[in-house]
Amino acid sequence: MNDLHDLYQEQLLEEYAHPHCWGLLEKPSCSARYGNASCGDTITVSLLVDESDVITAVGWEGEGCAVSMAGMSVLAQAIQGQSVTVVAKWQYQQVQKLLGLEQISPSRIACLQMGLLSVQQAIIQYQSNTSR
Amino acid sequence: MTSPWKSDFPLFHVQKNQDLVYLDSAATTQKPQCVLDAVSQYYQQDCANIHRGVYELSERSSTVWEESRATIAAFFGAKSDELILTSNTTQAINGVAYGWGMSNLAPNDVVLTTIMEHHSNLVPWQQVTKNTGSQLEVLGVSPDGQLELEKMLATLKKYGNAIKVVALTYVSNTTGVVNPIAEIISSVRRYCPLAVVLLDAAQAAAHLPINFHNLDVDFLAFSGHKLYAPMGSGGLLVKSSLLDSANPKQLQPWLFGGGMIGQVSPQSATWNEDPSDRFTAGTPDVAAAVGLAEAVTYLSTTGWQAIIQHEQEVLEYALQSLLQSDDLHVVGPHVSYTGDNRVRLGSVTWLYKGVHAHDVAQVLSSRGVAVRSGHHCTMPLHTAMGWPATVRASFGIYTSKEDIYALLDALQLVKTVFRK
């Protein structure tokens, strides 16, 4: 049997109950909506990026499981002050570390990845817009 | 009290599964020892390619294949040459879509289906209507997930002869809804005489007796692995007239190659006269067919009365218990019968208030309770009903009230973890 407390730790549950950076930005530099078709989870993320390609503000909304929502909450805090080029290369393990999860079952990796994939889609949009 | 048949299923009795409470039979069923023995015996004693060799082992294997087919067909009240064995329901329905739909649908034709369909009885029709320029009409459902017969009737009358296919599930894999198929088919025959009817029986075949001839459908698709047979077994029953090579609207082969041919020359080929061979391209999974034959024999020997009574007790107990919980909302009908008409079968699905389906399933898993969470291959239904994701507990012959107690107990843990 799984140990529930390995996954649903205090930090994850707190981030889920009170997610950081909730609410979309009014005038973002870029935004994206990402959905996981298999579970119905969706995240919409909006980013403010400065002239040096650094993320200065994050706002997001979503609906989903505790892992995906908590993952996006910690990610939203962590990517502020980071360059878009750096965040574009992040993998789900970074989110796992931010949540303090020593292990994650394969079936929940998609949940962990959701926020990151939505951020990375927004970055693609930003890079596409700024390259024109 | 444990199910009287649970001891027939070895998976439940190995040590690593001793805490398992398996409530995902709608996804796949566990297999009784007799099915495992039959598959193993085939490979140990009778394995050879069929219809190809003149040596004794090949003839024996061919006999095993034909006898298995006859047993399976008889279980469904059909003739052996009305049965095309496939690997599952999805392949069977794709066969109808491509083998019948592609050559018989044209612009201005309508394929009628419903929002409750499994993706396997929706996506093939999306593809075929797109490729033929015909129209896909998708009927909605009531808030409790049932078809509204007046609206269906109105649609049948509206399109009339334009409707060429009605593709319908017998039992919903998400809501457990049992469709009133006798009434629907009767209306289709009356108002849409040019339509063929395809029935998706994937969730019905293990739980209800099916007589193909009495149903008056043209095609019936089923999965063996959902009725205690190996994965890779399933089939399509086809009305004889649609297998008649003289019928211009016959079902055409959708897979080509060895075994299904008559004559082959460099630039062309003819098809095998025998309908069961015409639709068996390549080496079939004889072992899966042997397992499926054994599984249907197991069910026949057990007897429908005993199966239905047992499963109804489990369903009723699960349904009533879950309906009493303030923590969740059961989707689908809240009764299993309306008068004499069965309206629900095989599963109970719910939304847990304030906790996502995946989290509920994860908590249940920590207590060994195996349920399915997500959209259960019915995304359009979930979207139409406003459900982001649901949790489904589904039952088999080996499920008992003991399993439901374990489910209810584990559900209490959700509140503790998420501090409701």
Side-chain angles (χ1 to χ4, degrees):
Chain A
M1 282 192 287
N2 311 331
D3 188 345
L4 263 188
H5 297 295
D6 286 346
L7 181 61
Y8 295 115
Q9 295 171 6
E10 202 61 46
Q11 183 197 0
L12 187 148
L13 291 172
E14 181 57 30
E15 296 285 347
Y16 176 48
H18 303 106
H20 288 89
C21 307
W22 186 264
L24 296 173
L25 300 175
E26 275 193 18
K27 289 182 183 174
S29 308
C30 55
S31 65
R33 184 172 184 272
Y34 188 86
N36 182 333
S38 73
C39 62
D41 292 1
T42 59
I43 288 178
T44 305
V45 70
S46 52
L47 307 176
L48 201 55
V49 185
D50 71 12
E51 288 163 359
S52 313
D53 288 349
V54 169
I55 298 168
T56 57
V58 180
W60 69 281
E61 290 176 358
E63 190 168 358
C65 67
V67 176
S68 67
M69 298 295 104
M72 183 65 226
S73 177
V74 293
L75 185 67
Q77 299 168 78
I79 61 176
Q80 292 183 59
Q82 297 281 349
S83 143
V84 295
T85 325
V86 164
V87 176
K89 293 179 188 151
W90 280 16
Q91 304 283 318
Y92 78 85
Q93 288 89 343
Q94 251 117 342
V95 184
Q96 182 180 341
K97 201 172 163 189
L98 287 166
L99 279 174
L101 297 174
E102 281 193 14
Q103 51 190 1
I104 187 86
S105 67
S107 61
R108 302 307 294 273
I109 289 174
C111 309
L112 208 55
Q113 254 180 341
M114 266 206 69
L116 182 59
L117 291 173
S118 59
V119 164
Q120 289 172 340
Q121 265 193 4
I123 289 173
I124 290 171
Q125 186 197 79
Y126 170 76
Q127 289 172 330
S128 168
N129 290 343
T130 51
S131 69
R132 284 194 198 135
Chain B
M1 199 172 75
T2 306
S3 158
W5 302 290
K6 194 168 183 179
S7 56
D8 294 338
F9 293 80
L11 181 131
F12 294 116
H13 309 294
V14 299
Q15 211 200 338
K16 59 184 166 181
N17 295 327
Q18 64 182 8
D19 295 321
L20 175 66
V21 177
Y22 187 72
L23 293 172
D24 201 20
S25 290
T28 201
T29 53
Q30 301 306 334
K31 319 306 171 193
Q33 188 66 52
C34 61
V35 167
L36 303 173
D37 289 344
V39 172
S40 187
Q41 180 180 298
Y42 171 75
Y43 278 122
Q44 286 176 352
Q45 297 181 20
D46 300 315
C47 175
N49 211 325
I50 60 161
H51 299 161
R52 284 152 172 89
V54 295
Y55 52 92
E56 191 268 336
L57 181 62
S58 175
E59 289 184 351
R60 198 182 334 135
S61 182
S62 301
T63 302
V64 165
W65 167 253
E66 294 301 338
E67 287 176 351
S68 298
R69 286 174 40 78
T71 301
I72 297 160
F75 176 76
F76 289 104
K79 298 183 287 183
S80 187
D81 57 13
E82 290 173 321
L83 171 67
I84 298 169
L85 287 175
T86 63
S87 54
N88 49 41
T89 302
T90 302
Q91 198 194 62
I93 296 174
N94 272 274
V96 178
Y98 284 92
W100 195 90
M102 284 302 294
S103 47
N104 290 286
L105 289 171
N108 299 321
D109 286 341
V110 175
V111 172
L112 180 65
T113 188
T114 83
I115 201 87
M116 74 169 80
E117 300 305 314
H118 186 286
H119 296 160
S120 295
N121 200 23
L122 181 62
V123 179
W125 301 112
Q126 292 172 347
Q127 291 300 301
V128 168
T129 50
K130 198 168 22 171
N131 291 341
T132 56
S134 53
Q135 182 185 330
L136 184 64
E137 189 69 25
V138 183
L139 280 174
V141 294
S142 63
D144 73 348
Q146 298 194 67
L147 283 177
E148 292 163 304
L149 288 183
E150 311 75 37
K151 287 185 181 170
M152 173 165 245
L153 201 56
T155 306
L156 295 177
K157 287 178 182 174
K158 174 185 169 185
Y159 288 109
N161 285 344
I163 294 183
K164 299 299 194 296
V165 180
V166 175
L168 179 66
T169 189
Y170 197 159
V171 178
S172 165
N173 69 304
T174 292
T175 59
V177 159
V178 182
N179 282 318
I181 52 167
E183 198 175 337
I184 291 170
I185 292 162
S186 170
S187 297
V188 171
R189 297 301 181 211
R190 186 174 172 195
Y191 297 110
C192 309
L194 302 182
V196 294
V197 178
L198 177 142
L199 191 65
D200 173 355
Q203 295 297 334
H207 306 289
L208 289 175
I210 286 176
N211 186 300
F212 180 59
H213 294 154
N214 290 352
L215 283 176
D216 188 28
V217 297
D218 298 284
F219 303 105
L220 185 144
F222 65 92
S223 285
H225 74 95
K226 295 189 203 282
L227 46 72
Y228 315 106
M231 288 176 173
S233 67
L236 177 68
L237 295 166
V238 183
K239 207 174 242 186
S240 297
S241 58
L242 290 167
L243 293 168
D244 180 354
S245 50
N247 183 349
K249 290 194 175 296
Q250 65 181 290
L251 178 69
Q252 299 288 343
W254 61 89
L255 288 173
F256 304 92
M260 53 74 66
I261 49 87
Q263 291 288 330
V264 184
S265 57
Q267 298 289 332
S268 64
T270 61
W271 312 142
N272 200 312
E273 285 292 320
D274 185 329
S276 55
D277 288 335
R278 198 183 318 143
F279 296 94
T280 307
T283 300
D285 193 335
V286 181
V290 167
L292 179 52
E294 188 65 32
V296 302
T297 302
Y298 175 78
L299 286 175
S300 300
T301 309
T302 306
W304 280 116
Q305 192 177 355
I307 293 170
I308 289 170
Q309 186 180 335
H310 174 80
E311 292 191 352
Q312 180 56 24
E313 281 174 15
V314 171
L315 171 65
E316 207 54 47
Y317 180 69
L319 183 60
Q320 295 312 320
S321 304
L322 291 166
L323 282 170
Q324 277 172 32
S325 170
D326 290 329
D327 300 321
L328 51 91
H329 168 68
V330 171
V331 302
H334 286 191
V335 294
S336 43
Y337 281 89
T338 304
D340 289 335
N341 298 319
R342 183 182 268 285
V343 295
R344 176 189 261 285
L345 185 70
S347 62
V348 184
T349 299
W350 64 89
L351 293 150
Y352 195 101
K353 296 173 187 172
V355 183
H356 192 277
H358 273 189
D359 295 315
V360 174
Q362 188 90 59
V363 171
L364 296 180
S365 174
S366 74
R367 287 280 177 88
V369 178
V371 296
R372 175 111 179 241
S373 64
H375 58 63
H376 319 301
C377 299
T378 56
M379 264 196 256
L381 177 65
H382 277 71
T383 305
M385 304 298 258
W387 308 328
T390 52
V391 185
R392 180 187 72 190
S394 56
F395 320 122
I397 197 173
Y398 36 67
T399 313
S400 65
K401 283 185 185 176
E402 217 171 54
D403 297 317
I404 309 305
Y405 301 151
L407 168 66
L408 297 171
D409 191 52
L411 278 170
Q412 292 302 312
L413 187 57
V414 176
K415 274 192 286 207
T416 310
V417 172
F418 287 90
R419 272 186 245 113
K420 281 187 61 64

